[in-house]
């Protein structure tokens, strides 16, 4: 038997706490599932009367709306992805894609000579930055952002001079 990870998360939550109302995944992808009273689902009114509730697997990663605040980076990433115009919401918030969004922002900043004249070739390589790199940069709370500078040198092959301009970022 196969169980969707989000539905499994909801089942685990309910097993541990009967008041659990949703299972939510924020990881490589994103999704949510919740328990709905069948009386609220018109097309199920004629189904098994012994079942009062139903699990709804939202698959919200594929949510798409003109009201989503998509940036130019979100749009570029979607166009270059293996499945353009699919999983729009997921591409905006999930771990699989956040690293590339940050890479795109850094690339634009580098092209605008925000960090000097050099644009590291590594910044032009799509989907080469993982969310682990972004997390490590985010965790650097040092005054001189030493870890951020080291990551820019190690991962992006930026010149050592980047550490002198990184304080701006």
């Amino acid at each position: 038997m196969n169980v969707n990870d989000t539905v499994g998360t909801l089942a685990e939550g309910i097993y541990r706490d009967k008041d659990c109302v949703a299972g939510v995944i924020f990881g490589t992808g994103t999704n949510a599932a919740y328990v709905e009273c069948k009386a609220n689902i018109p097309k199920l009114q004629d189904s098994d009367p012994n079942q009062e509730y139903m699990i709804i697997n939202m698959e919200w990663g594929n949510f798409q709306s003109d009201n989503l605040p998509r940036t130019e980076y979100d749009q570029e990433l979607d166009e270059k992805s293996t499945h353009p115009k699919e999983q729009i919401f997921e591409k905006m918030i999930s771990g699989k894609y956040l690293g590339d969004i940050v890479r795109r922002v850094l690339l634009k900043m580098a092209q605008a000579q925000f960090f000097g004249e050099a644009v590291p070739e590594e910044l032009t390589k799509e989907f080469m930055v993982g969310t682990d790199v972004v997390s490590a940069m985010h965790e650097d709370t040092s005054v001189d952002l030493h870890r951020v500078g080291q990551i820019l040198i190690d991962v992006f092959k930026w010149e050592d001079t980047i550490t002198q301009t990184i304080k701006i970022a």
Side-chain angles (χ1 to χ4, degrees), residues 8-154:
T9 299
L10 174 59
E12 170 75 9
I14 292 170
Y15 176 77
R16 292 178 181 270
D17 180 350
K18 66 178 177 57
D19 294 325
C20 177
V21 296
V24 180
I25 300 290
F26 289 104
T28 302
T30 186
N31 192 15
Y34 69 99
V35 178
E36 181 64 77
C37 181
K38 280 181 41 181
N40 295 330
I41 308 171
K43 68 182 185 179
L44 295 180
Q45 296 306 310
D46 296 331
S47 63
D48 185 350
N50 295 320
Q51 290 181 319
E52 188 177 347
Y53 298 97
M54 173 173 251
I55 293 177
I56 304 295
N57 180 5
M58 296 180 61
E59 293 295 347
W60 74 8
N62 203 29
F63 178 71
Q64 190 169 337
S65 168
D66 291 337
N67 295 320
L68 284 174
R70 295 178 70 208
T71 67
E72 65 185 272
Y73 311 107
D74 295 311
Q75 292 168 9
E76 287 173 12
L77 182 140
D78 180 43
E79 290 168 10
K80 300 287 185 175
S81 71
T82 54
H83 301 289
K85 298 185 173 132
E86 294 179 18
Q87 302 299 112
I88 299 298
F89 186 55
E90 184 164 289
K91 289 173 186 170
M92 293 174 68
I93 69 167
S94 70
K96 181 176 180 179
Y97 302 100
L98 288 178
D100 200 60
I101 297 239
V102 169
R103 181 200 62 82
R104 290 170 189 279
V105 171
L106 288 172
L107 176 60
K108 185 166 186 172
M109 291 172 72
Q111 289 169 335
Q113 297 184 348
F114 196 82
F115 302 114
E117 294 181 20
V119 176
E121 184 181 338
E122 295 296 312
L123 275 180
T124 65
K125 297 177 181 176
E126 295 177 349
F127 303 102
M128 62 80 61
V129 178
T131 303
D132 59 329
V133 171
V134 176
S135 293
M137 292 171 72
H138 179 71
E139 290 172 0
D140 185 357
T141 58
S142 65
V143 174
D144 66 352
L145 297 174
H146 175 75
R147 180 74 179 123
V148 171
Q150 196 60 54
I151 289 169
L152 292 174
I153 292 166
D154 294 345

